[in-house]
Amino acid sequence: MWESESDGRGGGRDLEPDKHDGLKTDGFERRDQSWFVSSDIPSDLLVKVGGVSFHLHKVVPFPLLLTCSLACVLYPQQDSCGVRKSGRMNRIIYESSRESEPSLVELDDLPGGTEAFELAAKFCYGIAVDLTASNISGLRCAAEYLEMTEDLEEGNLIFKTEAFLSYVVLSSWRDSIVVLKSCESLSPWAENLQIVRRCSESIAWKACANPRGIRWAYTGRPARASSPRWNGDSKESSPSRSQPVPPDWWFEDVSILRIDHFVRVVTAIKVKGMRFELIGAAIMHYASKWLPGLTKEGAQGGEEPWSHQGGLHLIVAGSGSKEDLSSGQIREQRMVIESLISIIPPQKDCVTCSFLLRLLRLANMLKVAPALVTELEKRVGMQLEQASLPDLLIPSFHKSETLYDVDLVQRLLEHFLVQEQTESSSPGREPYPDKHSYEANQRASGPNAKTRVARLLDSYLTEVSRDRNLSLTKFQVLAEALPESTRTCDDGLYRAVDSYLKAHPTLTEHERKRLCRVMDCQKLSIDACMHAAQNERLPLRVVVQVLFSEQVKISNAIASSSLKEAVESHYQPVISARRQLLEGTPQSFQEGWAAAKKDINTLKFELESMKAKYLELQNDMDNLQRQFEKMSSTKPSKQSSSPWSTGWKKLSKLTKMTSEAHELGAPMPGTAAAEATKKGPRRWRNSIS
């Protein structure tokens, strides 16, 4: 049975072609940039591959490249024509067989390069070739290029390399990764020969296997080993049965692959039904390796940046710029970002919102395709409530007056509102594959999500309001992007307004009033009201509204209190806070407020006076009624006259007499009834004056 490097029992498969009569070589010898066969017979064939020269032979004793027909014609006495290996080289040599000078063949487009041709030449010379996972893909492509098929000889190089791939490489996790990594320089040969597809499916099948049944070596996370490496001994590197295998055991190994091969592996894993959370975590792990600019703080101390041959040696820090990258690096990073966006699972919460926003930052900087950027913005809008302020502060990389990309945040809010409206209109439309995803969606949706987004937006407005180039219209549109019901308190919005006023001192009175319309004074807390009362940047009308709304709150709190203890416990702090609020008001506002307060007190005094006069009049009427009843009982009226009419006539006469006496200044002589009558008209006169 053939052995691979991962088996630890040998260096690989030794390929020894059938023995033939003729000169046997001891091996190849290298001198500078040239290879020579260890033989006394001079070379008559020169092959150049990638700047390296191979001095070979084209005669039968060295049956490197002779076709069967040509060998039979030139050497009819030899039944076996040697190793008839390469159809391509046979044709080249046949065309140059009549030339006396040594033939020169250039194979610059040979897949696998110098190493692959060296192994193929040794195989043709009958020298044992060591097949390993590192050289098998290049040798297989070189054999196909050289047309070393079974038609020329049974057990040719194509057959033996295919057998090694099928029975050794694809059955090993490590060898499949190594072979797929080596295919990066063999395009399109590796694709056409299905090496990439077969290795990708082998990796996907093993990655989706039950972790409890894993008995092969894997690298694992770097934190678990000081120097991650492939372990050659499968017995030592296999996980112990007592130690459970983590579900992300395969992340580190597949992250060394180039982006196109990583996409092939992830696509195959999706087909096999792996959980989308694991696929998203693998994508984030891969992005952290190939796009170090996504990390918030860069590499940790003492940890070297990820580096491997053919990788992206780029660190796009937050302060970096596009000008720091070469055109080749920009193309590579753009390709990585576009590929990662295209393979992110469609399910919500498969990747974090922070990762999506940092990916969006790089996508805008590197000018990724607009369709993919729009798709990424929609993904961010689906889980915008999970975002943080530092990730949302995306600079404006295109020609814009503002420091931050405010229009981008506006689009994110629109996508968020569309998503919320869709979920509210059809709550049970999208099925949940498992309980975990359903609970996560329930926690992230609903009023809580809108409230978190509102707080995030207020913090974002406070930060971007310091930009002097931010127009009032953009600020107002962004502040009013969310419905009013999403904010239970406008303190954050007030801070943003105050910060904008501080950064834009040249605003007119009309513009300041227009700016303050974005907040509701009735939703401000007592601390915000105290600050607003002392804020000279606010218009006077806004300050009055703040004080009036606070007074209305106090009145409502007192009116709605049902228990006296509750009223006393809540009323005293509010009154003291209001007193502090008024004491801290600037002098210019205090004068206006004092005039308004004086008018209010005057109206209150007049209202109280009217109430007192009304009560006094009511008392006078009661007295008159009692006097009338008394007079009715002492002097009966005529039968023809009505008691009510007689009483009113007497009352009118008495009123007239009293008025005349009051005008003359003389007291009324007579009874106690006259004294009562004297008192009554004076009060009546005062009440109507």
Side-chain angles (χ1 to χ4, degrees), residues 97-116:
S97 60
R98 298 182 180 182
E99 298 178 2
S100 57
E101 297 181 357
S103 300
L104 174 61
V105 180
E106 294 184 359
L107 303 177
D108 293 332
D109 57 345
L110 176 74
T114 304
E115 297 179 357

Side-chain angles (χ1 to χ4, degrees), residues 267-279:
T267 304
I269 288 176
K270 285 183 180 179
V271 173
K272 297 186 181 301
M274 178 173 284
R275 299 203 317 266
F276 62 85
E277 297 94 343
L278 278 179
I279 297 177

Side-chain angles (χ1 to χ4, degrees), residues 130-193:
D130 187 17
L131 293 184
T132 64
S134 302
N135 61 27
I136 186 62
S137 58
L139 189 58
R140 172 65 183 89
C141 295
E144 188 73 20
Y145 177 88
L146 295 173
E147 302 176 8
M148 303 178 73
T149 63
E150 292 294 292
D151 296 337
L152 298 177
E153 181 182 275
E154 184 178 356
N156 208 341
L157 190 57
I158 290 179
F159 171 79
K160 294 188 176 181
T161 51
E162 273 293 329
F164 186 83
L165 280 170
S166 301
Y167 295 102
V168 179
V169 171
L170 299 181
S171 62
S172 170
W173 167 262
R174 172 196 181 276
D175 289 347
S176 299
I177 295 286
V178 172
V179 170
L180 188 56
K181 178 67 179 175
S182 64
C183 290
E184 295 176 358
S185 59
L186 299 174
S187 299
W189 289 90
E191 287 283 352
N192 298 335
L193 296 176

Side-chain angles (χ1 to χ4, degrees), residues 480-588:
E480 297 174 349
L482 295 177
E484 295 182 0
S485 59
T486 58
R487 293 185 178 92
T488 58
C489 180
D490 278 7
D491 286 4
L493 201 54
Y494 168 71
R495 283 192 293 269
V497 170
D498 182 55
S499 178
Y500 189 88
L501 290 173
K502 187 183 299 182
H504 301 77
T506 59
L507 292 178
T508 63
E509 184 71 15
H510 173 72
E511 290 174 338
R512 287 192 295 161
K513 291 181 180 179
R514 175 185 165 191
L515 175 64
C516 293
R517 291 195 192 105
V518 301
M519 63 179 181
D520 188 358
C521 297
Q522 297 182 359
K523 293 184 179 181
L524 297 179
S525 64
I526 184 62
D527 295 332
C529 289
M530 293 179 64
H531 187 277
Q534 306 176 44
N535 193 347
E536 297 183 355
R537 290 182 291 270
L538 295 177
L540 176 60
R541 182 177 180 181
V542 176
V543 176
V544 173
Q545 289 179 354
V546 170
L547 296 175
F548 180 75
S549 64
E550 194 61 29
Q551 184 177 3
V552 171
K553 290 179 184 178
I554 296 173
S555 302
N556 294 336
I558 297 175
S560 61
S561 299
S562 58
L563 299 177
K564 184 177 180 180
E565 294 80 8
V567 173
E568 293 178 354
S569 61
H570 292 285
Y571 181 72
Q572 294 298 332
V574 173
I575 293 299
S576 61
R578 183 186 175 194
R579 187 179 297 110
Q580 296 177 4
L581 183 67
L582 295 176
E583 291 176 356
T585 307
Q587 185 65 29
S588 59

Side-chain angles (χ1 to χ4, degrees), residues 244-476:
V245 178
D248 59 349
W249 62 269
W250 52 277
F251 288 4
E252 189 69 23
D253 290 339
V254 299
S255 65
I256 71 172
L257 301 175
R258 199 173 62 186
I259 183 60
D260 54 340
H261 294 162
F262 177 77
V263 170
R264 296 288 294 270
V265 171
V266 171
T267 304
I269 288 176
K270 285 183 180 179
V271 173
K272 297 186 181 301
M274 178 173 284
R275 299 203 317 266
F276 62 85
E277 297 94 343
L278 278 179
I279 297 177
I283 293 173
M284 290 190 293
H285 184 83
Y286 184 88
S288 66
K289 295 293 185 181
W290 289 79
L291 300 173
L294 289 177
T295 58
K296 294 182 179 180
E297 298 177 359
Q300 300 296 330
E303 182 178 337
E304 296 182 359
W306 180 262
S307 176
H308 55 270
Q309 185 176 1
L312 300 178
H313 306 281
L314 305 177
I315 298 180
V316 185
S319 60
S321 60
K322 183 180 177 182
E323 287 73 12
D324 299 334
L325 308 176
S326 63
S327 58
Q329 291 173 331
I330 291 175
R331 285 194 302 270
E332 288 180 350
Q333 280 209 335
R334 186 185 297 121
M335 181 179 63
V336 171
I337 295 173
E338 292 177 349
S339 301
L340 292 180
I341 295 174
S342 63
I343 63 174
I344 295 177
Q347 290 82 359
K348 185 179 179 180
D349 296 328
C350 62
V351 294
T352 63
C353 186
S354 177
F355 169 77
L356 292 175
L357 284 170
R358 286 180 276 136
L359 194 64
L360 183 59
R361 179 196 299 262
L362 286 180
N364 287 335
M365 185 182 72
L366 300 177
K367 295 183 179 180
V368 173
L372 293 175
V373 173
T374 303
E375 180 65 24
L376 190 57
E377 291 176 357
K378 292 181 180 179
R379 296 300 306 269
V380 175
M382 290 174 58
Q383 48 197 97
L384 186 60
E385 69 278 359
Q386 305 172 7
S388 61
L389 179 60
D391 294 329
L392 201 61
L393 293 173
I394 299 177
S396 181
F397 296 103
H398 307 293
K399 294 182 179 179
S400 177
E401 297 179 354
T402 58
L403 179 62
Y404 297 104
D405 198 343
V406 181
D407 297 332
L408 171 62
V409 178
Q410 175 71 22
R411 294 194 298 270
L412 296 180
L413 290 173
E414 293 175 358
H415 293 314
F416 170 76
L417 294 176
V418 170
Q419 177 68 20
E420 287 293 318
Q421 184 178 3
T422 303
E423 292 181 355
S424 61
S425 60
S426 56
R429 185 184 65 178
E430 183 178 356
Y432 299 97
D434 51 25
K435 181 179 179 181
H436 173 73
S437 60
Y438 175 78
E439 292 177 352
N441 187 276
Q442 288 297 107
R443 290 193 301 268
S445 61
N448 292 333
K450 293 183 179 180
T451 302
R452 288 194 293 268
V453 171
R455 288 198 297 264
L456 177 64
L457 178 60
D458 293 345
S459 302
Y460 180 81
L461 287 171
T462 304
E463 189 68 27
V464 301
S465 62
R466 302 185 178 96
D467 185 5
R468 295 182 179 273
N469 295 325
L470 180 63
S471 64
L472 176 60
T473 302
K474 282 191 175 183
F475 182 90
Q476 187 176 7

Side-chain angles (χ1 to χ4, degrees), residues 590-600:
Q590 286 186 5
E591 295 176 358
W593 175 249
K597 186 176 180 181
K598 184 178 179 181
D599 295 339
I600 295 174

